[in-house]
Amino acid sequence: MNPSASQPAGSPDERPVPLPAHPPVPAPQDPSAPVASSAPRADGERSPRPPVPAPHGPADGPPPAPRRAPAAGAHREGADRRLARAIHKVTGTVMGPHQTAVVRIGFAAAWLLFLLREFPHRHELYGPRGPWSWDMARRLIEDNHSFTVLMWSDSALWFEAVYAVAVLSSLLLMVGWRTRATSVLFMVGVLSLQNRSVFMGDGGDNVIHLMALYLVLTRCGRVWSLDARRAARKPAPRVDHTGMALWTLLGFGLVAVVLFRDRSGEPWLMALLWLLWLAQGAWWLVCRFAPGEPRTLLDVLANLLHNATLAVIMAEVCLIYATAGWYKIQGSRWQDGTALYYPLQLDYFTPWPTLSDILAGSGVVVMLITYGTVIVQVAFPFTLFNRRVKNVLLAVMMMEHAGIALLLGLPFFSLAMIAADAVFLPTVFLLWLERRARTAGRRLRPGGGPRAGKRPAPDAPDTRTLVG
């Protein structure tokens, strides 16, 4: 008989039984095994109860948490966050500032060098007394409605003024001085000269023609420009006299465009010029009198326009290579691997005859370069989502254009295409080039080399950012 059964529950004689310091650990059991227990019956005997599942003991760890079905809006919330980040990146940041700066510098330099090289022959190329006379150009422009200010007058003085503005605007855009205004002047100079004599060019003029239109819509002076240097060194003055004078001068130019609208080409281009002029004036007014939310809105619109134009430039480059590659595939000389041999035998495309003869004398080299050119041009647009393969093909294409400049004597075409390819250069590589250029510049300046005894503290933070 149980001794504790004779005492009522909760009596004062009942004392708690002390537990041992280290209770015996039960032998591990299968958690899935049922545990049998007994219940008292009326006759005092215990009858077995139905088996119940054993609870999880301390040796089994915490019970597994029940699986819950994912909320209906979980996936939607993740997609919404990704979409919000993408919208913020497109509207709140200037994407590819270093790549855009390289494109600006490359195309401005290509056009400037071309104008300087052809300066002794400028009258034969674009002048009113050239082989393609002013009257012939006027009749052609009446049909295709191309924009050129050279049709305003057939005087030699007016031609010299337009040529000088084209040279000056190329130089100013290359160094990044007032890029919003000089990019417009650069576009006017390119269109005026190229549309005046449409048969002058080597293929690179078409690329410069397109990029001159695109650069107007980009914020290409955020880095590696005099504008960025001026903005970083001192705060903007309350009254920008230089900007106001330049804006007023461009306004008089637009008045002249309206007066000669029957000779200025398509109306949409005149509307674009006026829109750009008014937008620049509105930008100045907002920065001067409403620097809060209106300025933020203008920044968002400018970022959207810049990023969209950058995407168009990338698509344009891919389209150039894709069409060139697929057209080459259809040619019989490209199919049999001998296409490179024939231009190397033309006097016009052999600035180095000895080098051309050596290259053309090897059939294997000619075949490899011919097939390699087609493969690279066709495959490049499909490698944009694989960074490593894209960078390899990009380097191959740049070396290919450098070879065209050397072997075929087309330096400005090659420089224009290399500048277009630069839109795909990795930012890490461009930042590395920037650091190397800054280091070389400090060493070339008198007293600008590294000084002994002035090392940065080991705990000093790195102030270099992704934007230079």
Side-chain angles (χ1 to χ4, degrees):
M1 182 176 179
N2 192 354
S4 61
S6 60
Q7 296 179 358
S11 62
D13 295 333
E14 185 178 357
R15 298 289 187 271
V17 180
L19 297 176
H22 300 283
V25 180
Q29 299 179 0
D30 187 3
S32 62
V35 178
S37 62
S38 59
R41 293 188 305 182
D43 55 358
E45 298 291 334
R46 293 182 177 267
S47 61
R49 290 182 178 178
V52 296
H56 288 273
D60 300 319
R67 293 185 178 181
R68 297 181 181 180
H75 298 290
R76 183 184 304 173
E77 182 180 359
D80 292 344
R81 288 184 178 180
R82 289 193 295 269
L83 180 61
R85 285 195 299 268
I87 293 176
H88 174 72
K89 187 174 183 179
V90 171
T91 59
T93 59
V94 176
M95 302 176 66
H98 296 83
Q99 288 81 356
T100 313
V102 174
V103 171
R104 167 181 59 82
I105 296 171
F107 280 102
W111 183 241
L112 175 63
L113 293 176
F114 174 78
L115 294 179
L116 293 179
R117 191 193 71 169
E118 301 298 340
F119 186 81
H121 315 288
R122 63 190 184 280
H123 290 283
E124 288 78 10
L125 292 176
Y126 306 110
R129 302 295 180 264
W132 186 252
S133 65
W134 189 85
D135 292 331
M136 297 172 65
R138 181 178 55 83
R139 289 196 295 268
L140 178 62
I141 289 174
E142 287 177 355
D143 294 335
N144 58 18
H145 303 287
S146 300
F147 175 84
T148 173
V149 298
L150 289 177
M151 290 294 100
W152 294 359
S153 174
D154 60 350
S155 67
L157 182 61
W158 175 243
F159 165 74
E160 295 289 353
V162 173
Y163 200 92
V165 170
V167 172
L168 182 61
S169 62
S170 302
L171 177 61
L172 295 178
L173 182 63
M174 184 179 66
V175 299
W177 185 81
R178 306 284 177 174
T179 51
R180 290 174 181 169
T182 54
S183 62
V184 176
L185 292 176
F186 176 77
M187 178 190 70
V188 171
V190 169
L191 297 183
S192 297
L193 292 175
Q194 290 187 355
N195 292 335
R196 165 63 178 81
S197 299
V198 294
F199 301 106
M200 303 297 176
D202 53 7
D205 56 320
N206 295 327
V207 184
I208 296 176
H209 193 107
L210 292 172
M211 296 302 169
L213 292 169
Y214 296 150
L215 285 175
V216 173
L217 306 178
T218 61
R219 310 184 77 173
C220 55
R222 298 299 292 262
V223 297
W224 299 346
S225 64
L226 294 180
D227 291 344
R229 184 186 182 94
R230 183 178 62 253
R233 287 194 168 185
K234 60 181 181 179
R238 292 186 58 84
V239 180
D240 187 4
H241 298 286
T242 305
M244 293 178 62
L246 190 58
W247 184 78
T248 305
L249 183 62
L250 292 177
F252 285 115
L254 289 178
V255 173
V257 171
V258 174
L259 294 178
F260 293 95
R261 58 183 177 274
D262 56 335
R263 304 179 186 178
S264 298
E266 291 286 352
W268 68 266
L269 188 56
M270 290 187 290
L272 175 63
L273 294 175
W274 276 104
L275 183 61
L276 293 172
W277 186 75
L278 293 175
Q280 184 61 29
W283 188 282
W284 180 84
L285 290 175
V286 167
C287 294
R288 178 71 184 276
F289 300 105
E293 292 295 332
R295 170 60 189 273
T296 303
L297 178 60
L298 289 182
D299 273 328
V300 168
L301 294 178
N303 292 339
L304 276 174
L305 189 60
H306 166 89
N307 296 331
T309 307
L310 186 62
V312 171
I313 292 175
M314 299 170 68
E316 187 75 37
V317 175
C318 291
L319 184 62
I320 290 174
Y321 283 116
T323 53
W326 287 107
Y327 273 109
K328 286 181 175 64
I329 289 178
Q330 303 175 29
S332 59
R333 296 294 177 265
W334 292 95
Q335 292 175 2
D336 58 24
T338 61
L340 180 62
Y341 174 81
Y342 298 99
L344 293 177
Q345 302 302 313
L346 300 176
D347 294 337
Y348 183 77
F349 293 108
T350 54
W352 312 97
T354 304
L355 185 60
S356 299
D357 292 340
I358 293 175
L359 183 61
S362 176
V364 177
V365 175
V366 169
M367 182 188 65
L368 291 178
I369 295 178
T370 302
Y371 286 152
T373 300
V374 176
I375 293 173
V376 169
Q377 291 183 353
V378 172
F380 179 74
F382 300 99
T383 63
L384 296 181
F385 299 101
N386 191 314
R387 183 177 303 176
R388 295 182 178 179
V389 179
K390 182 262 295 181
N391 291 337
V392 171
L393 293 186
L394 188 62
V396 171
M397 289 191 302
M398 288 186 171
M399 290 188 293
E400 174 191 352
H401 288 300
I404 291 175
L406 178 64
L407 295 174
L408 302 182
L410 299 174
F412 302 110
F413 166 76
S414 300
L415 182 56
M417 290 307 303
I418 290 174
D421 296 339
V423 74
F424 295 105
L425 286 175
T427 305
V428 176
F429 174 72
L430 295 177
L431 293 176
W432 177 82
L433 284 181
E434 180 184 11
R435 291 193 298 269
R436 300 291 294 181
R438 290 181 184 275
T439 303
R442 285 194 297 267
R443 291 177 178 176
L444 291 177
R445 287 195 300 266
R451 298 180 180 179
K454 285 193 174 182
R455 297 181 180 178
D459 297 333
D462 188 3
T463 58
R464 187 177 65 251
T465 63
L466 291 178
V467 295

